[in-house]
Amino acid sequence: LAMGFDSLSMSANNLPKVKAAIREVTMADAQRVLAAVLQLYDEKEIQRTVNKALQQLMRRYRKGKRAVH
């Protein structure tokens, strides 16, 4: 989102999960994660950073706290 992509390509079985995640991400959250990732050089550290952000997002989603866009 923060990188400006307006389309994604994926298998149909991933679509519901990805749509749910996108609906819960604010642009501010996406920009924060992007800024953090752009400071990293190690692929594993980038993956850890993104995974941590997604885990936090999903905890917020499960608690019923919807993103305000």
Side-chain angles (χ1 to χ4, degrees):
L1 299 174
M3 293 181 75
F5 293 112
D6 60 1
S7 65
L8 300 171
S9 177
M10 69 192 74
S11 63
N13 62 335
N14 287 326
L15 192 58
K17 290 184 277 185
V18 172
K19 284 175 73 173
I22 288 172
R23 286 185 185 119
E24 294 304 313
V25 175
T26 65
M27 184 57 78
D29 288 339
Q31 290 171 336
R32 265 193 296 281
V33 173
L34 177 61
V37 166
L38 289 175
Q39 301 299 313
L40 303 173
Y41 296 98
D42 179 65
E43 178 182 342
K44 289 181 182 180
E45 188 62 28
I46 291 169
Q47 190 67 42
R48 277 192 292 271
T49 300
V50 171
N51 284 339
K52 182 179 177 182
L54 287 172
Q55 288 171 357
Q56 291 171 345
L57 166 74
M58 293 315 293
R59 277 195 298 273
R60 184 173 70 194
Y61 178 76
R62 283 192 290 271
K63 288 181 180 179
K65 296 179 181 174
R66 300 286 186 223
V68 177
H69 297 280

